[in-house]
């Protein structure tokens, strides 16, 4: 945890216990720090699992093995190592992950493929096997902890601890969700890693859980950016223990499936926003809403081009209604756009319409909006029905200080 | 011009006069500044022209008309307005450009299509037609100026004046090149615009001039980035007056064509480097060399992913040999790469080979290299014969100050 807490931080919410999912934390000592850095979450027999992973082709062994193991659909444990990402460490890194999987599987008496491992921290240093072994041994004996403890322990350079909750009615049964996430602080010379975990007591088939998670991911985690740099280790896993006793969900035809999918989507959006709110150096939370695109996917790409533009992000940091930079970012996105149909606004006030500055544009409400913490940029491409919202933060001196003002 | 000159600046070279190309400058007063801001360059009858333009779909009318008019292959004049990009100004912007073309064409007695216009500066404000008309009137009467005067006049927030020269032997005839460029400083709330102009006295057909310029562009202007933001107005034009009296070049089969193409390539590379050396906030000039890719184009894309990564650029600013961030950038590029064949070095010293940190990696020479002004990053993908070099600068507090620390 950093000393300076993000001005966009929100307090850790009250997360319900999830029957069948029990967190534990210990200090493996992956770094020379006086804090817990190994999280072990035991999952009840029959827990369904789904996951989405980084598309970075230089991904870690954790991501590689996790992606393989999702296929069999069941999980009995999750291990998260903080302080070392174990990425780009060749066969030694892979051996360390396999050792953890074997050790936990032997203890629980489950298949190795049902143990999921994530690691976050410095790249290029193999995870020390002796520390991992001793850490796991201690974790298997440790007393349960709170979700907040677990959320704090998976963090690295995060400036605040991040969790979210949701619930849904399936028939007469209320199912609960608790979720934790880390990511986007970066003070050590490490790469940002986003790791998120959603736990629910709902009974859901692995295939339907994956369908809901993938759909939620497309409109939440895949619609945020802090600095356009994709980590080697990004992972979001959803675990459903089935302990709520609802009639199991297997598709959108199951009663209550829509409510479940909506709750999962809601919690993913909450988690994604928390990561942006802890973006490196962030002073403002920015929502970019694009409408009138030829498709939703095209709208998302245009939104990301705007959200990744250093010139747009520095303009917002400077509280400057520089809509010309938004025009530029739309035009470079590589997606269908027509300059003469393009409209741009801030906080609900149009600055330019149909390819020209508005004759009666009143900058006063826009200037007032830009002084706030929560900023919205509206773009209408005027071409079709495609729409998307993308979230990011501003680009400030804080980002440079975090990432350049040191010598490793 | 900014007060603080880039530490990477180089002095303006001695540029030869080019027979048939005569520059003039005047003060049109597009901004409230006490400097010349309109450049008029008259070109001899028979001057061949070629051009490359921004791919930003929200391009200015100047770009749109220039792209159309290149087709007929001949140029008689170039007008460059500084202080107003005239982009995103609808029909009013277009009328201003057409007025300039008509006014100059009437004076020279040439076709309107032979007059090329560029504008650079703030977006969204139509170029004032009265100022343009009076400025052109004065320019048509002004005495010729030097290339350095012209280079200074096309600049906006550049911190130094940029020019380059080259020459080539075509048979027994020496042909000369003089070129000027502006771009990449950004202190006002404007978008960076790169405008470059190459003048040669060689006799060349328009088609072959275009072929050589397009080829040079692919390995020079298309291989630089300061902040990944593509302008609405980028333009590079090459003019060949034919006054050197060489036997005209019409293809690579013409004697001397190789020497001509090499000289044009050389001058384009010089100009491109000058823009990076004036990158906003730049403290270091970075060359990213990628080899072992499946194709040259794939190597270029990987190089640009590295050169556009804020985490790589801040690491270089911090003189930090953070090769893990280079791994990340390679992995996110979307191009073929194999983590376990990837090698990364700085200044000729390998830090990681074949997917793992080097056991005997000595950071001392790398640390010494990173303290310098000229930095090289080497990446070998280990897959094929494709290679490319991309140039950029570091990302510093200066960039944030230039682009965020004001309120327009």
């Amino acid at each position: 945890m950093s000393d300076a807490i993000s001005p966009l931080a929100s307090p850790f919410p009250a997360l319900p216990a999830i029957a069948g999912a029990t967190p534990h934390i210990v200090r493996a000592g992956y770094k020379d720090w006086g804090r817990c850095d190994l999280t072990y979450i035991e999952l009840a027999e029959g827990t369904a699992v789904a996951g989405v992973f980084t598309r970075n082709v230089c991904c870690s062994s954790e991501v590689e093995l996790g992606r393989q193991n999702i296929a069999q659909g069941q999980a009995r444990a999750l291990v998260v190592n903080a302080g070392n990402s174990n990425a780009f460490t060749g066969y030694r890194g892979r051996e360390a992950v396999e050792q953890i999987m074997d050790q936990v599987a032997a203890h629980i008496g489950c298949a190795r493929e049902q143990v999921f491992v994530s690691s976050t921290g410095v790249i290029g240093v193999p995870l020390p096997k002796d520390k991992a072994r001793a850490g796991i041994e201690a974790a298997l004996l440790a007393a349960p902890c709170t979700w907040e403890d677990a959320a704090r322990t998976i963090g690295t350079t995060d400036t605040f601890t991040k969790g979210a909750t949701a619930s849904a009615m399936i028939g007469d049964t209320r199912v609960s969700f608790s979720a934790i996430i880390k990511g986007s602080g970066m003070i050590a010379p490490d790469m940002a890693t986003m790791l998120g975990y959603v736990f629910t007591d709902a009974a859901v088939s692995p295939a339907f859980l994956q369908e809901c998670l993938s759909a939620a991911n497309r409109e939440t985690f895949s619609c945020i950016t802090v600095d356009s740099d994709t980590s080697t280790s990004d992972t979001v896993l959803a675990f459903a223990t089935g302990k709520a006793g609802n009639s199991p969900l297997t598709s959108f035809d199951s009663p209550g499936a829509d409510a479940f999918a909506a709750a999962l989507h809601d919690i993913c959006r909450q988690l994604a926003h928390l990561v942006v709110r802890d973006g490196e150096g962030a002073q403002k939370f920015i929502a970019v809403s694009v409408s009138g695109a030829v498709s939703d996917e095209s709208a998302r790409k245009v939104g990301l081009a705007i959200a990744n533009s250093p010139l747009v992000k520095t303009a917002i940091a400077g509280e400057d209604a520089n809509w010309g930079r938004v025009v530029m970012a739309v035009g470079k996105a590589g997606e269908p756009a027509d300059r003469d149909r393009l409209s741009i606004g801030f906080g609900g006030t149009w600055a330019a319409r149909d390819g020209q500055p508005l004759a009666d544009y009143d900058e006063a409400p826009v200037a007032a909006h830009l002084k706030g913490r929560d900023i919205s940029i509206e773009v209408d491409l005027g071409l079709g029905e495609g729409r998307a919202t993308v979230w990011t933060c501003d680009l400030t001196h804080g980002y440079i200080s975090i990432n350049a003002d040191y010598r490793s």
Side-chain angles (χ1 to χ4, degrees), chain A residues 200-386:
Chain A
T200 175
D201 52 11
V204 196
S205 71
F208 184 61
L209 185 61
Q210 184 67 52
E211 183 180 346
C212 292
L213 181 64
S214 295
N217 173 63
R218 276 195 295 277
E219 298 187 354
T220 59
F221 301 113
S222 292
C223 288
I224 63 172
T225 178
V226 169
D227 57 7
S228 80
D229 276 342
T230 306
S231 158
T232 49
S233 308
D234 293 333
T235 298
V236 175
L237 295 171
F239 302 99
T241 66
K243 296 296 180 193
N246 59 287
S247 155
L249 306 177
T250 56
S251 78
F252 275 109
D253 294 333
S254 307
D258 287 336
F260 176 84
L264 185 64
H265 187 285
D266 177 57
I267 205 166
C268 287
R269 186 187 47 73
Q270 289 183 56
L271 294 176
H273 285 195
L274 287 169
V275 170
V276 173
R277 288 186 176 278
D278 207 6
E280 300 150 335
Q283 295 288 321
K284 292 177 192 286
F285 179 88
I286 307 170
V288 181
S289 298
V290 178
S291 60
V294 295
S295 68
D296 289 353
E297 180 57 17
S298 180
R300 190 180 74 91
K301 287 182 180 165
V302 170
L304 284 172
I306 297 166
N308 280 326
S309 160
L311 290 175
V312 171
K313 292 157 83 90
T314 49
I316 299 298
E319 303 182 348
D320 177 18
N322 195 324
W323 56 266
R325 293 185 181 177
V326 180
V327 172
M328 173 279 300
V330 170
K332 75 164 184 169
E335 291 297 309
D338 179 340
R339 181 189 64 195
D340 298 333
R341 294 190 191 190
L342 177 60
S343 303
I344 291 165
F346 295 92
T349 304
W350 293 110
R353 282 216 89 132
D354 300 328
Q356 294 187 58
L358 271 184
D360 58 349
Y361 168 48
D362 176 12
E363 203 183 302
V366 171
H369 175 71
L370 292 180
K371 285 192 195 306
R373 289 278 183 210
D374 281 275
I375 306 299
S376 72
I377 301 176
E378 296 90 29
V379 172
D380 186 348
L381 299 179
L383 298 178
E385 298 300 313

Side-chain angles (χ1 to χ4, degrees), chain A residues 86 137 179 272 322:
Chain A
N86 196 38
E137 240 167 60
N322 195 324

Side-chain angles (χ1 to χ4, degrees), chain A residues 19-299:
Chain A
T22 317
H24 313 259
I25 58 172
V26 297
R27 185 163 96 77
Y30 292 125
K31 283 180 69 169
D32 185 19
W33 50 13
R35 50 158 274 193
C36 288
D37 52 10
L38 190 157
T39 305
Y40 170 69
I41 300 178
E42 197 163 311
L43 300 161
E45 202 167 349
T47 295
V49 63
V52 290
F53 300 92
T54 182
R55 297 188 192 189
N56 192 305
V57 300
C58 295
C59 68
S60 65
S61 290
E62 284 82 342
V63 166
E64 213 165 44
L65 289 164
R67 196 183 277 128
Q68 283 169 26
N69 295 339
I70 283 289
Q72 50 80 37
Q74 303 288 320
R76 292 301 308 281
L78 167 68
V79 175
V80 184
N81 304 300
N84 185 325
S85 82
N86 196 38
F88 213 69
T89 53
Y91 72 93
R92 286 173 294 173
R94 187 169 176 114
E95 283 177 3
V97 184
E98 290 174 337
Q99 174 192 289
I100 291 173
M101 292 166 66
D102 287 337
Q103 190 181 354
V104 172
H107 172 81
I108 296 181
C110 68
R112 180 203 230 195
E113 289 71 29
Q114 298 178 335
V115 179
F116 289 80
V117 182
S118 303
S119 302
T120 172
V122 69
I123 286 182
V125 179
L127 193 76
K129 288 206 253 183
D130 53 341
K131 289 183 178 170
R133 180 177 296 282
I136 294 288
E137 240 167 60
L140 296 175
L141 301 172
C145 67
T146 65
W147 288 119
E148 188 167 3
D149 290 335
R152 188 180 302 112
T153 303
I154 67 171
T156 54
T157 57
D158 304 63
T159 79
F160 65 98
T161 302
K162 305 174 192 74
T165 183
S167 69
M169 290 305 293
I170 302 179
D172 295 334
T173 310
R174 177 174 297 279
V175 300
S176 301
F177 295 75
S178 286
I180 58 177
I181 197 160
K182 65 90 47 180
S184 280
M186 191 157 4
I187 291 160
D190 303 342
M191 236 163 21
T193 303
M194 193 191 75
L195 300 178
Y197 308 100
V198 179
F199 303 90
T200 175
D201 52 11
V204 196
S205 71
F208 184 61
L209 185 61
Q210 184 67 52
E211 183 180 346
C212 292
L213 181 64
S214 295
N217 173 63
R218 276 195 295 277
E219 298 187 354
T220 59
F221 301 113
S222 292
C223 288
I224 63 172
T225 178
V226 169
D227 57 7
S228 80
D229 276 342
T230 306
S231 158
T232 49
S233 308
D234 293 333
T235 298
V236 175
L237 295 171
F239 302 99
T241 66
K243 296 296 180 193
N246 59 287
S247 155
L249 306 177
T250 56
S251 78
F252 275 109
D253 294 333
S254 307
D258 287 336
F260 176 84
L264 185 64
H265 187 285
D266 177 57
I267 205 166
C268 287
R269 186 187 47 73
Q270 289 183 56
L271 294 176
H273 285 195
L274 287 169
V275 170
V276 173
R277 288 186 176 278
D278 207 6
E280 300 150 335
Q283 295 288 321
K284 292 177 192 286
F285 179 88
I286 307 170
V288 181
S289 298
V290 178
S291 60
V294 295
S295 68
D296 289 353
E297 180 57 17
S298 180

